[in-house]
């Protein structure tokens, strides 16, 4: 467990420091560039995200779950990743005009051609990242990621002050990948021998292909809102939505990545002991809820204050969207933990079936909300999030012997008391004492409840961290 806790600590350091740095950089650039620039980038987000998923081909997870890995296995994965990235970039290059026509934004043609280069650059380091994850060496990953973000952010802010345009965001993305690539090759002493093994390829793809399909579906449908809003609403409105989504996704992805990366390996090690697996799973979802839910619910309750302080009056319309999206993403780490169980037991087929069912549900909800404005669409996203949590919990029961109702009984009390503590001062006191004072009261209320009802859990968490 000491190695797990150490991995968790460094994974947390990397994700928190990286996301804090990216968050600050994003705020500075948002003030300098405005909603239109972020709307343009939002339009091509799905293209880049799907491409990255296809390039990885699910090989990273397939390699991590292997108990014994030969060198030719890494080489095979590297060759496939690189070839896939070159093929996908070629497709993007020749199809960029059609993307531009779809959104009626001529600038997108050149933006997509240049930004697509990041796909090739990132493919060169996928194996290096995977090797470090297998070794639970999150310390090195932390150094590389943090340094890449800080340097690329610094240069981008300088560029934004000289020439504020959407190309600053393109430069930031590519610069980050280039610096990261250089550092991975510097610190991870692995050079591909370009030895392709058909046997190893079949072994990897037999596990990963269903997972890739599920991941592509997830990425496409997660970004389908950008495609719809960008097509039927203005670029500026998409900018508001994109920024609200980013503010919700940053803490969500940060926390989910920390929990998912570390618990996946540990779940794999104890999966044969059902009792230990169940107990560890319960501990993870309870501690996850205690740490993560207050952040997202407070973000929802005080969205107007957050937007006013961080982005300024130009982004005021983002606050109502953020209020709903923060609640929608508050359950995402629970999604990830449940799906981790399916991946650990090699049930990529069930993972895929779940994703297909949920995406059909998403389309149905989107169909009924598309004519009700952006706020209506985000409310649909909230409804979808709660239903998805229910569906995921049903299918993990057979592996951890923990029903959906039992999971709900662990999470719901925490959710309800935090929701009540956060929103009560906003609704009844904010007009009299101001939003800042109401925020302080909400935080004090949550801390008081934690002290009374969850003191033992909090102490156990801190005790585990302190021992490391």
């Amino acid at each position: 467990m000491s190695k797990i806790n150490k991995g968790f600590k460094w994974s947390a350091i990397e994700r928190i420091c990286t996301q804090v740095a990216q968050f600050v950089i994003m705020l500075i650039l948002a003030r300098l560039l405005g909603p239109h620039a972020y709307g343009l980038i939002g339009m091509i987000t799905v293209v880049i995200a799907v491409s990255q998923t296809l390039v990885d081909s699910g090989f990273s997870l397939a390699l991590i779950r292997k108990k014994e890995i030969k060198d030719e296995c890494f080489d095979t994965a590297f060759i496939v990743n690189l070839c896939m990235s070159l093929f996908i970039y070629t497709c993007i290059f020749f199809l960029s005009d059609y993307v531009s026509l779809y959104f009626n934004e001529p600038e997108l043609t050149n933006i997509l051609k240049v930004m697509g280069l990041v796909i090739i650059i990132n493919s060169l380091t996928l194996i290096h990242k995977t090797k470090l994850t297998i070794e639970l060496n999150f310390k090195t990953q932390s150094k590389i990621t943090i340094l890449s973000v800080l340097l690329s952010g610094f240069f981008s802010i300088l560029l934004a002050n000289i020439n504020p345009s959407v190309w600053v965001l393109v430069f930031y993305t590519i610069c980050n990948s280039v610096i990261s690539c250089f550092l991975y090759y510097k610190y991870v002493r692995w050079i591909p021998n370009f030895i392709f093994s058909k046997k190893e390829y079949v072994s990897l793809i037999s596990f990963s292909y269903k997972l890739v399909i599920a991941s592509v579906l997830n990425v496409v449908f997660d970004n389908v809102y950008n495609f719809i809003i960008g097509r039927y609403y203005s670029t500026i409105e998409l900018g508001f939505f994109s920024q609200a989504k980013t503010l919700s996704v940053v803490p969500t992805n940060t926390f989910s990545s920390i929990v998912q990366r570390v618990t996946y390996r540990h779940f794999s090690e104890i999966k044969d002991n059902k009792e230990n697996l169940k107990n560890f799973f319960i501990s993870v979802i309870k501690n996850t809820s205690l740490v993560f839910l207050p952040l997202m619910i407070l973000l929802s309750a005080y969205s107007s204050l957050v937007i006013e302080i961080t982005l300024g009056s130009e982004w005021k319309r983002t606050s109502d969207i953020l209020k709903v999206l923060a609640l929608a993403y508050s359950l995402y780490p629970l999604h990830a933990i449940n799906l981790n169980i399916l991946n650990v037991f090699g049930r990529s087929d069930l993972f895929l079936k779940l994703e297909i069912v949920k995406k059909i549900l998403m389309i149905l909800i989107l169909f009924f909300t598309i004519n009700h404005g952006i706020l209506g669409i985000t409310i649909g996203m909230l409804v979808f999030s709660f239903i998805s949590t229910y569906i995921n919990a049903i299918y993990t029961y057979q592996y951890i012997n923990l029903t959906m109702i039992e999971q709900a009984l662990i999470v719901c009390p925490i959710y309800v008391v935090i929701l009540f503590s956060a929103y009560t001062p906003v609704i009844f006191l904010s007009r009299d004492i101001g939003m800042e004072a109401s925020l302080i009261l909400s935080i004090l209320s949550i801390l008081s409840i934690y002290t009374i009802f969850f003191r033992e859990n909090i102490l156990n968490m801190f005790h585990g961290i302190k021992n490391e």
Side-chain angles (χ1 to χ4, degrees):
M1 282 297 292
S2 61
K3 195 172 183 180
I4 296 295
N5 289 334
K6 187 175 181 181
F8 185 92
K9 180 176 71 176
W10 278 106
S11 183
I13 289 172
E14 179 215 338
R15 298 308 301 174
I16 292 172
C17 291
T18 299
Q19 295 297 338
V20 167
Q22 287 180 331
F23 181 72
V24 173
I25 292 165
M26 179 199 71
L27 296 180
I28 296 172
L29 292 178
R31 283 181 175 271
L32 292 171
L33 304 178
H36 186 265
Y38 278 88
L40 287 172
I41 294 300
M43 290 174 176
I44 62 172
T45 297
V46 64
V47 178
I48 302 299
V50 169
S51 300
Q52 296 279 29
T53 303
L54 289 172
V55 168
D56 177 55
S57 303
F59 284 1
S60 295
L61 281 178
L63 288 168
I64 291 170
R65 70 187 295 271
K66 276 179 169 286
K67 293 184 177 179
E68 295 182 6
I69 310 175
K70 300 177 181 178
D71 289 338
E72 61 186 23
C73 193
F74 288 118
D75 280 311
T76 301
F78 179 86
I79 292 169
V80 174
N81 290 158
L82 181 58
C83 291
M84 184 67 77
S85 70
L86 292 170
F87 172 73
I88 290 174
Y89 177 74
T90 302
C91 293
I92 288 174
F93 188 90
F94 289 107
L95 294 175
S96 58
D97 286 334
Y98 295 99
V99 176
S100 178
L101 286 172
Y102 174 82
F103 290 110
N104 195 28
E105 286 285 356
E107 287 182 86
L108 289 181
T109 299
N110 290 330
I111 291 173
L112 193 53
K113 286 179 179 178
V114 176
M115 199 162 177
L117 291 170
V118 77
I119 298 165
I120 300 174
I121 299 168
N122 288 343
S123 72
L124 299 174
T125 60
L126 283 171
I127 301 303
H128 298 73
K129 295 175 185 178
T130 302
K131 287 178 73 68
L132 290 176
T133 301
I134 291 171
E135 298 166 6
L136 293 178
N137 185 359
F138 297 107
K139 184 176 181 179
T140 300
Q141 290 191 57
S142 301
K143 293 177 179 178
I144 292 172
T145 307
I146 294 169
L147 187 58
S148 301
V149 169
L150 291 176
L151 287 175
S152 58
F154 173 75
F155 293 132
S156 298
I157 291 170
L158 288 179
L159 183 60
N161 280 282
I162 298 170
N163 181 25
S165 71
V166 67
W167 287 100
V168 174
L169 298 177
V170 177
F171 171 81
Y172 172 68
T173 303
I174 294 178
C175 184
N176 187 15
S177 294
V178 170
I179 295 172
S180 178
C181 182
F182 171 78
L183 292 174
Y184 270 111
Y185 277 85
K186 177 178 174 60
Y187 289 107
V188 182
R189 299 297 181 181
W190 183 84
I191 302 295
N193 294 314
F194 293 96
I195 300 174
F196 182 83
S197 169
K198 184 179 179 181
K199 179 182 177 182
E200 295 295 342
Y201 173 74
V202 172
S203 173
L204 291 171
I205 202 69
S206 62
F207 168 78
S208 65
Y209 82 94
K210 293 173 185 175
L211 196 60
V212 171
I213 297 172
S215 298
V216 169
L217 283 173
N218 192 50
V219 170
V220 168
F221 283 93
D222 191 43
N223 289 279
V224 73
Y225 300 102
N226 286 22
F227 250 58
I228 296 298
I229 294 171
R231 173 71 173 178
Y232 296 103
Y233 297 87
S234 70
T235 304
I236 291 177
E237 285 180 297
L238 176 56
F240 291 137
F241 175 83
S242 297
Q243 200 65 278
K245 188 177 178 182
T246 298
L247 287 168
S248 302
V249 167
V250 165
T252 300
N253 284 351
T254 301
F255 197 82
S256 297
S257 296
I258 294 169
V259 174
Q260 199 168 22
R261 281 199 295 176
V262 178
T263 58
Y264 183 83
R265 188 66 177 179
H266 190 54
F267 281 152
S268 299
E269 292 173 352
I270 65 172
K271 67 180 181 180
D272 295 327
N273 189 325
K274 293 296 180 69
E275 190 63 28
N276 284 348
L277 181 62
K278 178 181 178 179
N279 292 335
F280 183 63
F281 181 88
I282 291 172
S283 175
V284 169
I285 63 171
K286 189 166 189 176
N287 292 338
T288 295
S289 300
L290 287 170
V291 174
F292 186 68
L293 289 180
L295 174 62
M296 298 304 289
I297 294 175
L298 285 171
L299 180 61
S300 171
Y302 294 92
S303 59
S304 60
L305 180 63
V306 171
I307 296 301
E308 182 183 345
I309 293 173
T310 57
L311 298 175
S313 58
E314 187 179 8
W315 293 87
K316 186 177 180 180
R317 290 168 58 190
T318 305
S319 63
D320 288 339
I321 303 171
L322 177 60
K323 188 181 295 293
V324 181
L325 286 184
L327 293 178
Y329 281 97
S330 64
L331 295 176
Y332 190 84
L334 299 180
H335 294 209
I337 295 167
N338 275 276
L339 293 177
N340 245 3
I341 294 294
L342 298 182
N343 288 332
V344 162
F345 282 92
R347 293 305 308 271
S348 55
D349 58 330
L350 186 55
F351 187 104
L352 175 58
K353 290 176 184 177
L354 278 174
E355 289 305 309
I356 293 173
V357 169
K358 288 187 291 184
K359 297 327 171 193
I360 293 173
L361 176 63
M362 176 190 285
I363 291 298
L364 289 174
I365 293 174
L366 181 59
F367 176 78
F368 286 108
T369 59
I370 191 172
N371 293 323
H372 296 282
I374 296 177
L375 189 59
I377 292 173
T378 56
I379 292 172
M381 293 173 69
L382 174 61
V383 173
F384 173 74
S385 177
F386 277 91
I387 296 175
S388 294
T389 304
Y390 169 81
I391 294 173
N392 290 339
I394 289 176
Y395 283 91
T396 54
Y397 167 72
Q398 59 184 304
Y399 300 105
I400 57 175
N401 197 29
L402 192 70
T403 66
M404 181 280 302
I405 294 175
E406 288 174 318
Q407 287 195 45
L409 289 174
I410 295 170
V411 176
C412 283
I414 301 172
Y415 201 102
V416 171
V417 296
I418 295 172
L419 198 66
F420 178 81
S421 300
Y423 266 95
T424 299
V426 175
I427 296 171
F428 296 105
L429 300 173
S430 60
R431 290 185 179 181
D432 297 324
I433 64 176
M435 292 294 285
E436 293 84 353
S438 296
L439 175 59
I440 294 172
L441 283 178
S442 293
I443 294 172
L444 291 175
S445 177
I446 292 171
L447 291 176
S448 299
I449 291 171
Y450 273 30
T451 303
I452 297 170
F453 296 104
F454 305 110
R455 184 171 180 271
E456 185 177 347
N457 296 95
I458 300 299
L459 289 175
N460 287 338
M461 278 193 288
F462 279 108
H463 181 68
I465 295 172
K466 185 179 180 181
N467 285 342
E468 293 307 316

